[in-house]
Amino acid sequence: MKKSNSILMIIVIVIIASLIVWKIGIPNLSGKNKEISSEKVAKKVKKESKKIKKKETSKAKSSSSTETSSSVESESSSESSSESTSSASSYRSDVKFPALQNYAGKTYYAVDRDSAEYPQMFPTSFTITSDGEAIIISGRQEPIEYVRTGKFGSVQLGGGPVFVFEFKPLGSSDEVEVVNQGQYLTYSTTMPE
């Protein structure tokens, strides 16, 4: 009986001791985890603030350099603008496709569309957007994905799976001839009466 009581007492003492160790150990571990995580957060905040400061200083430097360069450019451009006003008006660098520079931003109207053999093959008008990225035909805007130039100055616009539109200049960029399956129709930037 004494042996079983002493064994039972030892087991109870071991259980109580392990509970005490467990209770004391857990808060210390969680406190250490909190300290470690707060240190990590503080380090991240310091790194981010350093990155932001570097970006701000680089932006400030670049903006001041662009201000000086733009003032230099404006001075040089004002000097050269009087020399080449006619060439500057014909060349546009903001057009997506260089072949469309003379046609971008213009609306072309069909000249005597009813005289065509198949008038339904030709829209009453079309407009190439000022950036040269799309063409508006009968109120529908089609994105221009490629431009090809061919014989006699013809210009072919394409986009999507089936969209193709072709025209060629007639002496100037204000008059063009639209080609559709072997049929031709003249278009002009002046609206017919």
Side-chain angles (χ1 to χ4, degrees), residues 112-126:
D112 201 16
R113 179 175 179 257
D114 295 332
S115 68
E117 190 174 347
Y118 301 104
Q120 66 273 15
M121 293 176 67
F122 299 98
T124 54
S125 67
F126 69 91

Side-chain angles (χ1 to χ4, degrees), residues 32 40 42 58 85 95 120 149 159 165 172 179:
K32 286 180 182 178
K40 286 181 181 178
S58 66
T85 52
V95 177
Q120 66 273 15
T149 53
F165 192 85
S172 73
V179 183

Side-chain angles (χ1 to χ4, degrees), residues 2-3 5 10 30 40 46 69 86 98 139 154 178 192:
K2 271 190 174 183
K3 277 187 178 180
N5 279 344
I10 290 172
S30 65
K40 286 181 181 178
K46 285 181 182 177
S69 64
S86 61
S154 66
V178 172

Side-chain angles (χ1 to χ4, degrees), residues 103 152 168-178 185-187:
Y103 311 101
F152 311 111
K168 59 183 180 179
L170 291 175
S172 73
S173 62
D174 292 333
E175 278 195 345
V176 296
E177 189 173 52
V178 172
L185 186 63
T186 302
Y187 283 75

